[in-house]
Amino acid sequence: VRQQTARDAARRRAAGSRSPQEAAENQPAGAPVVSDDLSDRIARATEAFSRRDYFAAAAHYEAAINLKNDDPLLHYNLASTYFLMRRYPDAKPYYMNAIRLNPADVDGHLYLGYTFFYLNNSAGAAREWGKVLELDPNHALARHNLESLQAQ
């Protein structure tokens, strides 16, 4: 599970979006404070994930996505939680959402490739690992996966 870095925050600010805390500070008095619940859900999901309680982590990530559906990191983290549970059909749409929201996400493409592979979709796996190499031509793992797949 990935956490937001300072670089992610800077990119988001440059794009005009705000963190949940920034959004809460600028809400009118009496407005519902969704970001507190969002922050709580993310904290609970992260904590559950760290204890390897993937069922609880997934529930909290799903609730967080219901509050903020346009966050690629939430989609990636929920997909990764399902992936670790070997629930590949459930992981797939969330990895797809993560890369739709952040097309340059190398890890999203890499793990969507694994998801396709485990779902017996070699063409999908090859496409995603090829995309990883487009984004990062030196990505050794994606190159190895693609070469191994082509050798079959």
Side-chain angles (χ1 to χ4, degrees):
V1 174
R2 294 184 298 189
Q3 295 189 7
Q4 181 175 316
T5 64
R7 186 179 64 183
D8 295 330
R11 275 193 214 138
R12 199 178 59 249
R13 281 192 297 277
S17 60
R18 301 173 305 190
S19 72
Q21 292 78 19
E22 292 168 326
E25 290 168 2
N26 295 317
Q27 288 190 14
V33 182
V34 173
S35 62
D36 285 343
D37 192 35
L38 178 62
S39 296
D40 181 59
R41 288 295 187 165
I42 293 169
R44 288 173 183 250
T46 303
E47 192 272 327
F49 189 93
S50 70
R51 327 187 289 276
R52 296 186 174 147
D53 183 354
Y54 302 129
F55 184 80
H60 289 297
Y61 281 127
E62 287 174 357
I65 287 171
N66 285 334
L67 295 169
K68 190 170 194 274
N69 192 38
D70 63 346
D71 187 329
L73 188 58
L74 292 176
H75 286 272
Y76 176 88
N77 287 347
L78 177 56
S80 296
T81 302
Y82 283 139
F83 186 90
L84 288 171
M85 295 168 73
R86 297 183 180 173
R87 290 175 53 181
Y88 307 117
D90 294 324
K92 180 182 154 189
Y94 290 101
Y95 279 130
M96 293 178 85
N97 287 341
I99 62 173
R100 178 182 51 80
L101 294 165
N102 181 9
D105 182 358
V106 171
D107 289 338
H109 287 286
L110 181 70
Y111 279 92
L112 180 57
Y114 284 123
T115 300
F116 279 129
F117 180 80
Y118 289 125
L119 291 172
N120 296 313
N121 182 341
S122 296
R127 182 181 60 247
E128 292 307 316
W129 292 333
K131 183 65 177 174
V132 170
L133 292 173
E134 286 176 25
L135 295 168
D136 180 0
N138 297 318
H139 199 287
L141 190 54
R143 183 170 310 286
H144 172 77
N145 292 344
L146 196 52
E147 288 170 358
S148 295
L149 189 61
Q150 291 169 343
Q152 291 181 353

